Structures are given as C-alpha cells and as structure tokens.
Amino acid sequence: MALALGVALAVMFMVGLYLGGRPTVKQISTVDLPVVSEAVPTSTIPGPDVDQAEDLLHGLGRIDRELDRARSIDRARNTCLDILAEERRAAVVERTRQRFDGTAQISTADARAIVKLIEAGGWCRNA
C-alpha cells in the first residue's frame, strides 16, 4: 500500500512537471508550528536499579544472547509502560515482540517470557 501511494505521488508530480506546473512550497513561520512535547517524560518511566538491570540483562540473554545489550533496558522500560497501562496481554506481548525483534529473532513465546521477566523484576510498578 505504501509502495502504491509512493508511485501515485511520483506519477502526479511528474505529470505536474510535464504540464508545465512547478510545485509551490508554502512558506510557514515557526510561529505556526505546533509545540511538540514528549508524551511521557523519561524520568517518569519506571526503570531498574543497577542490580535489577543486571538481572534483567542476564534474563534477556538467556532468552536470546543478542538481547544482553544496554539498549534492551530502554525497550524493557517501554514494555513496562504497556504493562502499567493495563493493555490487553496479547497487545503487550506483540509490541514486545516487535520492540525486541531485530538482531535477535524474537518469537511470540520469547516475547511472553520477556514480559514475565519484566513483571518479575520488581521495578515495573507505578511510582
């Protein structure tokens, strides 16, 4: 779908150029731009202390050795937000799978194990 949209936009642009039209760019002032704020300040996202982070990375490494990385802690913190939002379990597991998938090949079962690891860590709780 994205490919079809991209092709359609490119064709429209080329037709416009062919017919002699030049695309116009509306100048906007920065005053017109909306103020973008971070949805959740980083300081309010629960995170593990040093010992809990070590345990978390060890547990993640047992699921897949590629997960034993510092960036996995931020991903775990984001999963914690999903858990604390009391979202449907299946949605939390799927987002966790997507979040941790990449270098490591994370299955749904792996994602369930990651969610359980985060819940059991003692740090994922409301302040």
Side-chain angles (χ1 to χ4, degrees), residues 4 12 14 24 26 32 44 46 54 65-66 76 84 88 98 115 120 122:
M12 288 173 40
M14 295 305 289
T24 59
K26 178 186 172 193
D32 297 336
T44 63
E54 185 177 311
R65 66 186 176 123
E66 292 298 323
L84 294 178
R88 286 186 14 251
Q98 292 172 357
V115 171

Side-chain angles (χ1 to χ4, degrees), residues 25-83:
V25 177
K26 178 186 172 193
Q27 296 294 326
I28 60 171
S29 107
T30 55
V31 175
D32 297 336
L33 296 176
V35 176
V36 178
S37 63
E38 192 173 322
V40 179
T42 305
S43 61
T44 63
I45 301 172
D49 63 26
V50 175
D51 291 333
Q52 292 167 332
E54 185 177 311
D55 291 344
L56 174 63
L57 290 176
H58 177 73
L60 290 171
R62 292 183 68 194
I63 294 168
D64 188 301
R65 66 186 176 123
E66 292 298 323
L67 298 179
D68 187 6
R69 309 237 189 273
R71 67 177 176 246
S72 293
I73 294 173
D74 287 333
R75 292 174 180 165
R77 292 176 73 202
N78 288 324
T79 294
C80 176
L81 285 178
D82 292 343
I83 294 167

Side-chain angles (χ1 to χ4, degrees), residues 85-118:
E86 298 179 5
E87 298 190 24
R88 286 186 14 251
R89 185 66 165 201
V92 172
V93 169
E94 178 56 21
R95 273 199 298 281
T96 300
R97 188 193 65 73
Q98 292 172 357
R99 195 174 277 135
F100 281 87
D101 196 42
T103 305
Q105 299 301 309
I106 302 301
S107 67
T108 301
D110 293 335
R112 276 191 213 102
I114 291 169
V115 171
K116 287 180 183 178
L117 178 67
I118 292 167

